[in-house]
Amino acid sequence: MNNDRLSHGLWEATSSPLPDAGRLEGDINAEVVIVGGGFTGCAAALHLAESGRATVLLEGDEIGFGGSGRNVGLVNAGLWVMPDELPRRLGTRRGEQLLKQLGDAPSLVFDLVQRYSIDCEATTAGTLHCAAGQSGLEELAERARQWQQLGAPIELLDAAETRHKLGTDAYSGSLLDRRAGTIQPLAYVRGLARAATELGSRLFVRSPVSGFNRKGASWNVQTAGGSVTAPWVIIATDAYSELATARIRREQILLPYFNLATRPLNSSQLSKILPQRQGAWDTKKILSSFRLDNGGRLIFGSVGALRGTGKPIHVGWAYRELSRLFPELGDVEFEHQWYGQIGMTSDALPRFHCLDRNMISISGFNGRGIAPGTTFGRDLAQVVTGALGVDELALPATEVKIASLRPVKSTLYEIGAQAAHFLGSRR
């Protein structure tokens, strides 16, 4: 997008075309305005369209421009927070409700994919959280115990079973989550947008929102080319919030993350590396993730930005790390490279905000955007339609609080990743 090969990489090269949309020109009316064309905004638009609401979605760039079109594509259940922590932090009712909702969230994603025939390379083989050393294995064993007590289809695998599923002996065990899977994320979010427009939602791209004004009982949402007047506004811009929605971004620490995609592997390599097509990531503090796409490319990612000194350091480390993990790859060649940013909240929990009368948002997915974004988008739509009350949500309504020292902390993430990868590439 925007002639930048490092923004969306493989996903843009293999995604279905953008839904037919142009800039907003002129003044129009609707029942709901959604700001942001990622997983949350497009899921909300689709569910509102299903309910017959006249909906307009405004995207400042193109559909999937932010984190939705740049991530790894792991459709995971739950959050980084341990399951037992949620009732303690949110109270029993909300904590248990959120556990169930996010445990079921991958099935909602795959149901929408099937129901609307979204061509996004969806696989339901599960995901593998891989243990780095004994401490990582102990962490996963405890996570498995807590999920299993809730009846989740979680299995703790030993080193030998993990080696069989991954094709590497680098990990001491892994957590197999059968609820989860992988998708081509940009194709998925474009598919949600396309389904919403086919049901009547109006979609406008390259239409960044510059302001909000009250107009009687409604909101007048302004862009450079026009405005939309509607009783309800949903803000779904998350870590890529700009201009009139920038305060949502300032509540989060921005964590850079990059992905590299190899050329398609040969049949012998594919028989050994992730042969069952699970997506995987590890327990390291500077974590790594890896998965395959439908074309047989190995997609490898980690913390860091592919800019400045970071680009040669991160890419150089990736060459060496992949050779260590999978020696049968031989001379690795990357066909695509891209990166983006993840919004991290102070407690690793999402945020629900009633920003003003009939203006609501959910943000702060902490690297778990696909399934939570989809299910929370549905929640926002149901609040608008009255099918769900604000007090019935799993997330409590909170005030927007600007994260302390956020520029410093964001910079430290990148410095730490560069240091780890610089040292790691020379061992």
Side-chain angles (χ1 to χ4, degrees):
M1 296 185 191
N2 297 335
N3 296 315
D4 184 357
R5 290 176 60 85
L6 291 176
S7 65
H8 298 79
L10 174 66
W11 300 145
E12 187 168 23
T14 60
S15 178
S16 54
L18 282 164
D20 186 22
R23 290 181 172 86
L24 176 65
E25 300 290 347
D27 302 319
I28 61 176
N29 296 309
E31 292 178 85
V32 191
V33 183
I34 299 170
V35 184
F39 300 129
T40 306
C42 290
L46 176 55
H47 288 289
L48 285 164
E50 287 177 336
S51 71
R53 295 302 196 275
T55 303
V56 170
L57 187 149
L58 300 174
E59 163 57 41
D61 207 286
E62 299 287 357
I63 295 299
F65 175 79
S68 298
R70 303 170 190 244
N71 65 47
V72 182
L74 303 181
V75 187
N76 278 315
L79 298 168
W80 288 110
V81 179
M82 284 284 193
D84 286 358
E85 273 294 301
L86 289 181
R88 288 196 283 265
R89 293 192 191 183
L90 299 176
T92 300
R93 194 273 292 175
R94 280 200 166 96
E96 292 178 352
Q97 181 180 336
L98 187 59
L99 282 168
K100 184 179 188 314
Q101 181 173 354
L102 295 182
D104 293 341
S107 67
L108 173 62
V109 171
F110 295 125
D111 174 68
L112 291 172
V113 168
Q114 183 175 35
R115 196 186 332 160
Y116 291 102
S117 301
I118 299 175
D119 182 10
C120 63
E121 304 185 13
T123 68
T124 56
T127 55
L128 293 161
H129 196 177
C130 305
Q134 184 60 31
S135 62
L137 187 59
E138 291 171 359
E139 174 194 332
L140 294 185
E142 178 59 20
R143 191 177 291 273
R145 184 192 68 79
Q146 293 183 21
W147 273 120
Q148 288 166 352
Q149 283 188 330
L150 296 170
I154 300 291
E155 184 178 352
L156 186 65
L157 307 182
D158 63 20
E161 293 169 311
T162 299
R163 184 186 313 115
H164 175 71
K165 290 192 180 295
L166 295 178
T168 178
D169 60 3
Y171 298 104
S172 54
S174 61
L175 193 67
L176 172 62
D177 189 339
R178 299 185 188 278
R179 301 169 294 181
T182 62
I183 58 170
Q184 208 275 36
L186 183 58
Y188 171 63
V189 71
R190 286 179 173 181
L192 291 177
R194 185 174 295 105
T197 58
E198 288 172 353
L199 291 177
S201 289
R202 287 179 288 177
L203 171 65
F204 299 95
V205 297
R206 300 198 176 277
S207 301
V209 170
S210 55
F212 303 94
N213 285 325
R214 294 296 310 181
K215 191 175 181 180
S218 294
W219 287 99
N220 182 250
V221 183
Q222 300 143 11
T223 73
S227 69
V228 186
T229 300
W232 278 92
V233 176
I234 290 174
I235 305 297
T237 45
D238 202 41
Y240 284 78
S241 299
E242 299 286 350
L243 301 175
T245 65
R247 59 177 168 159
I248 298 296
R249 184 188 72 248
R250 291 196 292 268
E251 191 172 33
Q252 305 174 48
I253 307 300
L254 300 183
L255 171 73
Y257 202 90
F258 69 88
N259 285 288
L260 310 168
T262 68
R263 291 192 178 278
L265 307 187
N266 61 43
S267 58
S268 175
Q269 293 166 334
L270 289 171
S271 70
K272 299 173 184 176
I273 298 172
L274 295 170
Q276 298 173 3
R277 297 297 178 107
Q278 285 93 2
W281 77 105
D282 62 34
T283 60
K284 294 178 182 177
K285 188 170 185 179
I286 305 295
L287 65 86
S288 301
S289 59
F290 45 100
R291 56 160 295 193
L292 295 166
D293 78 337
N294 273 11
R297 301 173 185 86
L298 181 59
I299 301 156
F300 185 61
S302 187
V303 179
L306 301 182
R307 61 173 180 247
T309 58
K311 189 173 188 294
I313 289 174
H314 299 316
V315 175
W317 166 82
Y319 280 121
R320 294 170 177 80
E321 184 68 2
L322 275 185
S323 295
R324 181 184 72 85
L325 292 172
F326 307 110
E328 60 269 40
L329 288 176
D331 292 331
V332 177
E333 185 176 356
F334 294 122
E335 192 175 66
H336 298 278
Q337 305 176 16
W338 69 101
Y339 74 100
Q341 58 193 22
I342 298 169
M344 309 291 290
T345 59
S346 59
D347 58 2
L349 292 180
R351 299 286 191 266
F352 169 60
H353 298 307
C354 295
L355 299 166
D356 207 318
R357 184 162 64 89
N358 288 3
M359 180 183 286
I360 54 178
S361 74
I362 297 182
S363 57
F365 300 133
N366 296 274
R368 293 290 181 93
I370 299 172
T374 300
T375 190
F376 289 142
R378 181 180 63 180
D379 277 359
L380 293 172
Q382 290 178 336
V383 169
V384 169
T385 64
L388 193 64
V390 166
D391 291 336
E392 296 176 285
L393 293 173
L395 295 171
T398 59
E399 298 293 324
V400 177
K401 294 182 179 179
I402 306 305
S404 63
L405 300 174
R406 53 182 303 274
V408 174
K409 292 176 181 177
S410 296
T411 300
L412 288 176
Y413 275 135
E414 174 58 24
I415 292 173
Q418 286 194 32
H421 290 162
F422 179 81
L423 295 172
S425 67
R426 282 154 176 76
R427 289 175 184 168

